[in-house]
Amino acid sequence: MTTTTTEDTTFLVQLTDLHIREPGRLAYGRIDTAPFLEHAVQSVLRLPQRPDAVVITGDLSDFGRAAEYEHLARLLAPLTMPVYLMPGNHDDRGQLRRSFPGHAYLAAGVGSAGFVQYAVRVGALRLLTLDTCVPGASHGELCGERLGWLEEQLDACRGEPVVIAMHHPPFRTLIGHMDEIGLQQGAEALEALVARHGNVERVICGHLHRAIDVRFGGTIASTSPAPAHQVCLDLSPGAPSAWALEPPGFRVHAWSAQDGRLVTHLAASGTFEGPFPFHDNGELID
């Protein structure tokens, strides 16, 4: 039987779509997202294995305002591991950089628009981030400049396990109102690029407030639940744009050096009863 120890495993936690407002303000006029993020942060801290890093794949705030990012910084402060931030369509690149000056990786912009793209090492993994945002719009795009940067990074780390992180998923989810504001440019080029690099273990995304997985470019692309509200699962044509307070969660991506593969777990956010033993002193409990 093969066993794997935490010493040869890298743990990358993915949070996404926080939608933090100023203290006391409600997202969509209905939901205070801050307590939900507090629960998510505590859930991350309670994991049996300490994560090597946390990446947050966009929509950190609701309107990209300085007061929202100040509130976010306080909520994330208990996390003791490196935290990597990315913009979503609800964020503002410039304000994000001004509000988090200690996050040096945000400073170096890519391309003519100063896209927030960076490469960092997380344990044995190489994390590459893509900026899919279009200022003032809800949909996403990947232009030649952004994809050119990614190709350079992938060529430079051949043979290393890579996780690509982005906000807008590069695939149709069949949730119509979300696909309308999905990645509208660059998905096919991205898939062709990923297919040429077999060391890409995952393409992880936000935006959908749900756990979705799809085969993409010879690997797996996925989205993650949010700490607070989830997009309703309605695949019927013309389904209304709606959210619900379904159970929140996040992703734990674990790279095993011994197995040479990435395993992704869906973790629940919150406090629950247990753990309880299946056996009592080696005997089944009657």
Side-chain angles (χ1 to χ4, degrees):
M1 179 178 177
T2 301
T3 59
T4 302
T5 65
T6 56
E7 286 76 14
D8 66 1
T9 305
T10 296
F11 298 98
L12 173 65
V13 163
Q14 177 193 5
L15 299 175
T16 195
D17 297 282
L18 315 181
H19 289 270
I20 295 302
R21 294 294 314 267
E22 304 92 337
R25 298 291 298 274
L26 303 180
Y28 308 107
R30 290 179 177 272
I31 179 173
D32 185 355
T33 53
F36 289 92
L37 179 55
E38 289 177 326
H39 295 159
V41 165
Q42 291 305 311
S43 296
V44 171
L45 293 174
R46 285 195 300 268
L47 289 170
Q49 288 75 38
R50 182 183 185 276
D52 293 274
V54 173
V55 61
I56 309 179
T57 48
D59 283 359
L60 313 175
S61 67
D62 213 24
F63 288 94
R65 297 168 179 161
E68 293 177 334
Y69 289 130
E70 290 171 6
H71 193 194
L72 173 63
R74 291 191 292 271
L75 294 167
L76 295 178
L79 293 173
T80 56
M81 66 291 297
V83 176
Y84 296 107
L85 306 176
M86 296 173 53
N89 51 288
H90 281 256
D91 292 301
D92 180 275
R93 291 187 193 113
Q95 188 58 59
L96 177 62
R97 287 182 166 117
R98 290 190 293 273
S99 294
F100 290 91
H103 291 240
Y105 59 88
L106 292 173
V110 170
S112 57
F115 302 116
V116 179
Q117 300 193 170
Y118 52 86
V120 293
R121 183 172 296 283
V122 178
L125 294 170
R126 177 73 70 173
L127 176 65
L128 306 178
T129 69
L130 281 176
D131 184 336
T132 59
C133 299
V134 179
S138 296
H139 75 279
E141 297 178 359
L142 283 176
C143 60
E145 287 182 317
R146 286 176 270 199
L147 288 169
W149 176 88
L150 177 62
E151 185 168 19
E152 291 176 359
Q153 295 297 321
L154 287 173
D155 287 342
C157 59
R158 289 184 180 274
E160 300 179 54
V162 169
V163 172
I164 297 173
M166 54 198 295
H167 182 65
H168 297 83
F171 56 87
R172 288 183 63 236
T173 67
L174 307 185
I175 301 177
H177 64 93
M178 294 303 295
D179 288 338
E180 289 177 1
I181 58 170
L183 191 68
Q184 299 300 313
Q185 176 185 321
E188 291 184 1
L190 174 63
E191 185 165 17
L193 177 56
V194 169
R196 296 197 297 271
H197 294 81
N199 57 319
V200 176
E201 290 289 328
R202 289 289 187 283
V203 178
I204 62 174
C205 316
H207 196 50
L208 261 293
H209 296 238
R210 298 203 68 83
I212 306 171
D213 303 273
V214 67
R215 183 171 59 185
F216 181 85
T219 187
I220 298 171
S222 66
T223 63
S224 173
H229 52 297
Q230 317 305 321
V231 170
C232 291
L233 179 57
D234 189 341
L235 307 185
S236 58
S241 174
W243 58 269
L245 288 177
E246 295 179 14
F250 55 94
R251 296 271 199 177
V252 178
H253 306 281
W255 166 261
S256 167
Q258 184 170 349
D259 296 334
R261 66 181 67 189
L262 189 73
V263 178
T264 295
H265 294 264
L266 184 61
S269 177
T271 304
F272 309 93
E273 292 188 32
F276 304 111
F278 286 107
H279 300 269
D280 187 10
N281 297 323
E283 300 293 331
L284 287 173
I285 300 174
D286 187 355

